[in-house]
Amino acid sequence: MRRIWLLCVRAYISAGMFFYFRRIKVFGIENIPKNKSVLLLSNHQNALLDALLIATKSNRYSYFLTRAGVFQKPFVAKLLKSLQMLPVYRVRDGWGNLSNNNAIFETCSELLNKKECVVIFPEGNHNLMRRVRPLSKGFTRIVLNTFEKYPNIDLQLLPVGLNYQDAVKFPDSTAIYFGKTIEAKNYISGDKNNDVVSLKSKIQSEISQLTTNIPKDDYEVILGKLKLMETDFLNPKAVNACIDFNFKDCKIKKVRRNMFLEYFSKFLLILIFPIPYILWKFLIKPRIKEIEFLSTFRFAAVVTLAPVWLIILFLAFGVTLSWSLASLCLIAIIIISIVAVKA
């Protein structure tokens, strides 16, 4: 029953992703082992959307380490746990709660021993900056604890790079890069301090090649140049090469924008979904305090309010006109929505 529930949720979220993103590109999906213990390690820019993209576009039913703050309400906590999300506590959650992580890390080790897939965002928090921030050592603790408990485990580490063209805009485009697997046992020497440093260095380096990684120094200047060049941020290899060579002989692809088409498409969507738009614009959006959550809440509005609105329209047309006409109108609205988002 749990697998059926997860399958249904994944299908629904995947459908929502189709109507939310203009383009979703996935690279290296073949690198994810299907019958081995895997720890997916990804950069973290766009709040819950990062996890949803990995959940729907990887070929594994994964467990996700999620910040404990979102588990505060009982109903939400039950829902998240049914989706294989595990709470992980940070200092901001209170020093007294940090000890709860011991049980969570033990759970991760047990899952990995059962050849499950666990997803961690080792930066520790989300941020829209286009660079890989210093990694926390939480994931290294899971790796080391797992080998202490199961020394013969064949644990694979797989770096992931999430890339967004413009994470706060709608519709946006995204590209997911699954890197090459790394055998964790090669980084276990018995010297814990050295192993932690080696693991963090290796994963930091690998993730940095799978997403745009602008150096901290002169970050704003470099980002400004890339934006002026209308850079395609979905090709991190080309972008990083351009930065490394100080913008000499750059071979990055430009993203051409048709402003008229973009505005006309948005006008069509507002015209089709007036009530959901009003609720989003004046009720939901003003309450979002962190810009990193903007896309997450917008996506939530799309997958909840839009279907309800379509059902209301379908019933209204069916009762007042005819069910055949209502069906035609529904099909027409869906087609127009797809064209508006994908244009």
Side-chain angles (χ1 to χ4, degrees):
M1 289 299 295
R2 187 180 67 174
R3 185 54 59 93
I4 294 175
W5 162 245
L6 291 173
L7 181 63
C8 292
V9 172
R10 174 186 279 192
Y12 187 76
I13 296 299
S14 295
M17 292 284 185
F18 176 78
F19 284 95
Y20 184 84
F21 284 100
R22 177 175 285 116
R23 303 283 184 274
I24 300 179
K25 300 180 179 180
V26 182
F27 301 91
I29 189 70
E30 69 280 359
N31 294 333
I32 305 178
K34 294 183 179 180
N35 299 305
K36 289 186 177 182
S37 308
V38 184
L39 196 60
L40 296 184
L41 301 159
S42 173
N43 64 310
H44 199 12
Q45 291 185 339
N46 210 0
L48 185 59
L49 274 187
D50 290 345
L52 294 178
L53 282 168
I54 293 176
T56 55
K57 300 305 175 182
S58 67
N59 57 12
R60 299 287 300 262
Y61 286 95
S62 305
Y63 290 81
F64 292 81
L65 262 66
T66 309
R67 66 185 189 125
V70 299
F71 287 80
Q72 293 179 353
K73 295 182 179 180
F75 173 76
V76 175
K78 188 174 182 179
L79 176 63
L80 294 177
K81 289 178 180 178
S82 74
L83 298 175
Q84 300 189 160
M85 293 188 177
L86 307 172
V88 61
Y89 296 85
R90 299 170 297 175
V91 174
R92 69 178 64 180
D93 298 314
W95 286 99
N97 289 320
L98 291 180
S99 59
N100 294 329
N101 286 334
N102 295 331
I104 298 299
F105 292 161
E106 285 294 324
T107 298
C108 289
S109 294
E110 293 173 7
L111 290 170
L112 292 171
N113 186 54
K114 295 176 181 178
K115 298 184 178 181
E116 296 286 357
C117 179
V118 177
V119 180
I120 300 178
F121 299 99
E123 289 173 305
N125 52 39
H126 51 240
N127 193 298
L128 289 177
M129 297 185 73
R130 297 184 185 274
R131 68 182 182 88
V132 180
R133 291 164 288 126
L135 307 186
S136 64
K137 62 181 181 180
F139 84 95
T140 66
R141 181 178 171 185
I142 291 176
V143 173
L144 296 177
N145 287 355
T146 299
F147 273 95
E148 282 185 4
K149 196 170 183 179
Y150 310 103
N152 297 319
I153 189 173
D154 182 16
L155 175 58
Q156 304 293 310
L157 308 180
L158 197 148
V160 182
L162 292 168
N163 301 268
Y164 299 90
Q165 185 60 34
D166 193 338
V168 298
K169 295 293 181 66
F170 170 78
D172 189 25
S173 293
T174 183
I176 313 167
Y177 289 80
F178 294 100
K180 299 291 185 179
T181 54
I182 301 166
E183 292 194 18
K185 65 181 180 182
N186 294 336
Y187 292 83
I188 305 299
S189 67
D191 184 337
K192 286 190 176 182
N193 291 331
N194 181 67
D195 293 343
V196 167
V197 173
S198 297
L199 282 167
K200 288 176 63 177
S201 177
K202 178 62 176 178
I203 298 303
Q204 177 104 25
S205 175
E206 293 296 322
I207 296 178
S208 297
Q209 297 176 50
L210 301 173
T211 187
T212 299
N213 187 39
I214 302 175
K216 185 177 181 180
D217 297 334
D218 297 325
Y219 175 87
E220 294 297 338
V221 173
I222 294 174
L223 180 61
K225 289 182 179 180
L226 292 172
K227 287 183 176 180
L228 285 175
M229 296 170 65
E230 299 178 321
T231 299
D232 178 10
F233 288 105
L234 305 188
N235 187 353
K237 183 177 180 180
V239 178
N240 289 335
C242 181
I243 296 172
D244 292 340
F245 288 100
N246 197 25
F247 292 87
K248 295 179 180 178
D249 192 29
C250 284
K251 298 180 180 180
I252 55 178
K253 181 181 177 182
K254 293 186 177 182
V255 176
R256 301 297 183 183
R257 298 179 61 186
N258 187 323
M259 300 304 295
F260 172 78
L261 186 60
E262 286 189 18
Y263 284 115
F264 182 68
S265 298
K266 289 182 180 179
F267 172 75
L268 280 179
L269 290 174
I270 294 172
L271 194 63
I272 295 171
F273 299 96
I275 301 303
Y277 175 75
I278 291 172
L279 291 174
W280 160 253
K281 187 72 174 180
F282 300 103
L283 182 62
I284 302 173
K285 187 177 179 180
R287 298 185 180 185
I288 301 174
K289 297 180 180 179
E290 296 181 50
I291 192 171
E292 289 84 359
F293 278 107
L294 184 64
S295 292
T296 294
F297 279 98
R298 185 195 287 121
F299 176 75
V302 168
V303 298
T304 54
L305 298 179
V308 171
W309 177 248
L310 289 179
I311 292 173
I312 292 174
L313 288 181
F314 177 73
L315 294 176
F317 288 155
V319 172
T320 59
L321 299 174
S322 69
W323 294 109
S324 58
L325 183 59
S327 299
L328 289 175
C329 289
L330 180 61
I331 293 172
I333 289 174
I334 292 175
I335 292 175
I336 293 173
S337 300
I338 294 174
V339 173
V341 171
K342 303 298 181 182

